[in-house]
């Protein structure tokens, strides 16, 4: 019943107003059926009773109008309170994200030589440094244990934002976290072996006698292969770092822009 009234509330209001306004008009105009009914219901001084009913029915529309105005104001107030509550929750989430990013080990950019477009090869020490920037790595009995850091808390917050806001940045944050997880598959020891293979091939080439052309060509080929393997592996790793850097800064820009809107208001 309540749902029915809410669905057709304006029709209900129109009918009620028509009744409350129409009855006094019909009585005033001495419409036969309505006027006779009013006389039967009001024995005694007919004039006084008709004045009574006219005043009574005149007050009701005024009360109805007052009730409509008050109900609309209450409804509007509730909507505003709900909107303010949602905006405060959203603002709190933005502040949490900003706080996490401010204290994170990655400031949003890399110092030289990692801020250029061309990156050569990475050593095991550099790989370890990059991984530990985005992953919590510990060792128990010489066994590596990897856990995600606070940026994955940001992912949880983003997934809880209102849909209109979430769709603006969710894909980028998901990509950011996916690329961070891929860093776990790169072992520093793998890069150490690549470096050792390259150094060994280079040393063999230098020791090779110049008279033995065939041996020199073979060692030179080994050097090129070792160098290419090392560079290819480094490029693959660096590609992940570049995507992480791009998505991190895009998230930071999104948070800054959203905070600027609310603080400006």
């Amino acid at each position: 019943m309540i749902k029915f009234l809410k669905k057709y509330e304006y029709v209900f209001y129109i009918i009620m107003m028509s009744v409350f306004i129409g009855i006094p008009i019909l009585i005033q105009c001495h419409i036969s059926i309505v006027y006779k009914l009013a006389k039967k219901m009001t024995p005694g001084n007919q004039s006084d009773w008709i004045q009574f009913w006219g005043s009574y029915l005149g007050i009701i529309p005024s009360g109805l109008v007052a009730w409509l105005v008050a109900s609309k104001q209450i409804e509007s107030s509730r909507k505003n309170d709900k909107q303010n509550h949602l905006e405060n929750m959203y603002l709190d989430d933005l502040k949490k994200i900003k706080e996490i990013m401010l204290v994170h080990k990655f400031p949003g950019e890399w110092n030289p030589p990692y801020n250029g477009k061309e990156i050569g090869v990475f050593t095991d020490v550099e790989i370890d440094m990059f991984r530990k920037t985005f992953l919590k790595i510990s060792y128990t009995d010489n066994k590596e244990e990897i856990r995600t850091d606070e940026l994955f808390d940001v992912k949880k917050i983003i997934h809880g934002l209102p849909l209109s806001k979430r769709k603006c940045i969710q894909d980028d944050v998901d990509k950011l976290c996916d690329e961070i997880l891929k860093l776990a598959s790169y072992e520093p020891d793998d890069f150490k072996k690549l470096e050792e293979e390259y150094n060994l091939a280079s040393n063999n080439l230098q020791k090779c006698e110049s008279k033995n052309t065939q041996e020199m060509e073979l060692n030179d080929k080994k050097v090129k292969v070792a160098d290419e393997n090392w560079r290819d592996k480094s490029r693959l790793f660096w590609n992940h770092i570049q995507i992480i850097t791009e998505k991190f800064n895009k998230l930071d820009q999104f948070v800054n822009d959203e905070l600027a809107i609310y603080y400006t208001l």
Side-chain angles (χ1 to χ4, degrees):
M1 184 65 179
I2 295 176
K3 291 182 179 180
F4 177 81
L5 290 176
K6 285 184 177 180
K7 185 176 181 180
Y8 299 101
E9 61 177 336
Y10 289 104
V11 176
F12 173 74
Y13 295 149
I14 292 172
I15 293 174
M16 291 298 293
M17 290 296 293
S18 299
V19 170
F20 291 135
I21 295 173
I23 290 177
I25 293 176
L26 292 174
I27 294 174
Q28 179 67 32
C29 294
H30 288 197
I31 301 300
S32 179
I33 297 175
V34 179
Y35 187 69
K36 288 179 180 179
L37 179 62
K39 288 178 66 177
K40 289 182 179 179
M41 293 176 63
T42 56
N45 190 322
Q46 305 296 329
S47 178
D48 291 341
W49 276 107
I50 290 176
Q51 287 179 4
F52 165 75
W53 281 110
S55 301
Y56 177 75
L57 293 174
I59 292 172
I60 292 177
S62 300
L64 182 60
V65 170
W67 175 74
L68 287 173
V69 172
S71 64
K72 289 298 180 183
Q73 288 178 340
I74 293 172
E75 183 180 355
S76 177
S77 178
R78 286 176 178 172
K79 287 183 179 179
N80 290 335
D81 290 343
K82 183 178 180 180
Q83 182 65 27
N84 290 335
H85 177 66
L86 293 175
E87 288 181 357
N88 288 333
M89 288 179 62
Y90 179 59
L91 189 58
D92 288 341
D93 285 338
L94 291 175
K95 290 177 180 178
K96 289 177 184 176
I97 295 172
K98 187 63 179 179
E99 183 178 352
I100 290 173
M101 298 184 74
L102 285 174
V103 300
H104 196 269
K105 287 178 286 187
F106 179 50
E109 59 183 4
W110 299 103
N111 294 324
Y114 309 114
N115 60 344
K117 293 183 178 180
E118 293 296 329
I119 298 295
V121 292
F122 291 120
T123 65
D124 59 314
V125 175
E126 291 173 313
I127 296 299
D128 189 56
M129 178 269 293
F130 282 118
R131 292 170 83 232
K132 287 181 177 178
T133 302
F134 299 104
L135 295 167
K136 292 181 179 180
I137 301 175
S138 59
Y139 297 89
T140 303
D141 298 329
N142 293 326
K143 185 178 180 181
E144 188 178 66
E145 294 181 358
I146 300 176
R147 291 179 295 137
T148 57
D149 73 354
E150 291 77 11
L151 287 179
F152 284 78
D153 293 333
V154 171
K155 181 179 178 179
K156 293 179 183 177
I157 296 173
I158 292 295
H159 278 254
L161 295 181
L163 179 60
S164 60
K165 301 295 184 181
R166 183 171 72 240
K167 65 182 181 181
C168 298
I169 197 64
Q170 179 176 325
D171 290 344
D172 293 298
V173 174
D174 288 346
K175 184 66 174 175
L176 168 67
C177 293
D178 289 344
E179 293 297 318
I180 290 175
L181 289 176
K182 290 177 182 178
L183 299 183
S185 64
Y186 289 84
E187 294 286 347
D189 286 344
D190 292 341
F191 286 82
K192 187 175 183 179
K193 290 177 183 178
L194 290 170
E195 184 180 5
E196 290 174 348
E197 289 173 1
Y198 174 80
N199 289 336
L200 179 61
S202 297
N203 291 334
N204 289 337
L205 179 62
Q206 292 176 0
K207 293 177 182 178
C208 183
E209 295 181 4
S210 58
K211 294 181 181 180
N212 193 335
T213 306
Q214 185 176 1
E215 185 179 356
M216 285 187 64
E217 289 178 353
L218 180 61
N219 285 324
D220 182 62
K221 184 177 180 180
K222 288 181 179 179
V223 171
K224 290 180 179 178
V225 170
D227 180 67
E228 186 177 350
N229 290 339
W230 194 7
R231 288 182 182 277
D232 286 346
K233 190 80 169 180
S234 297
R235 276 194 291 266
L236 286 173
F237 183 84
W238 184 243
N239 184 57
H240 298 307
I241 297 298
Q242 286 182 311
I243 295 174
I244 290 170
T245 303
E246 176 194 348
K247 300 304 180 182
F248 184 95
N249 286 315
K250 192 167 184 179
L251 171 62
D252 188 52
Q253 187 62 51
F254 169 79
V255 173
N256 289 338
D257 290 344
E258 290 297 302
L259 286 173
I261 293 173
Y262 284 92
Y263 282 121
T264 299
L265 293 175

